[in-house]
Amino acid sequence: MINQEAADQVMTKKEMEFSVFCIENIAIELNRPPQEIYGLLKEKSDILDTYIVPCYEALHSQSKEYVVEDIIRLMRKKGVL
């Protein structure tokens, strides 16, 4: 049986697809491998878990350019870029 905390951490399919979209497009913008961007967003910072996924509803309605620049700005603020 899954406990409530584990259930709360499970991404929906749409959140997962959006996370991949973000990672791929940031990688293109920064000319870096997607695996490196994932590491920066998940392992070197908490941006994936505390910003991209929780803010999915607001972010996915924005343009690709806005989302990419917004996340890059946050990455710089957190010192991972």
Side-chain angles (χ1 to χ4, degrees), residues 18 21-22 25-26 28-29 59-73:
F18 182 69
F21 166 85
C22 292
N25 284 287
I26 291 166
I28 291 167
E29 180 70 22
L59 288 173
H60 90 280
S61 64
Q62 302 298 318
S63 71
K64 175 177 75 172
E65 293 79 14
Y66 174 85
V67 170
V68 168
E69 289 304 315
D70 185 52
I71 296 169
I72 289 172
R73 191 173 320 121

Side-chain angles (χ1 to χ4, degrees), residues 26-81:
I26 291 166
I28 291 167
E29 180 70 22
L30 298 176
N31 196 28
R32 295 188 181 180
Q35 298 87 343
E36 179 184 345
I37 300 304
Y38 174 80
L40 295 174
L41 295 173
K42 177 75 176 172
E43 297 162 7
K44 298 279 184 183
S45 73
D46 58 357
I47 295 170
L48 184 63
D49 295 325
T50 63
Y51 184 65
I52 296 172
V53 174
C55 296
Y56 163 77
E57 288 297 327
L59 288 173
H60 90 280
S61 64
Q62 302 298 318
S63 71
K64 175 177 75 172
E65 293 79 14
Y66 174 85
V67 170
V68 168
E69 289 304 315
D70 185 52
I71 296 169
I72 289 172
R73 191 173 320 121
L74 182 56
M75 292 170 79
R76 288 187 174 124
K77 182 177 178 182
K78 290 198 171 245
V80 294
L81 280 183

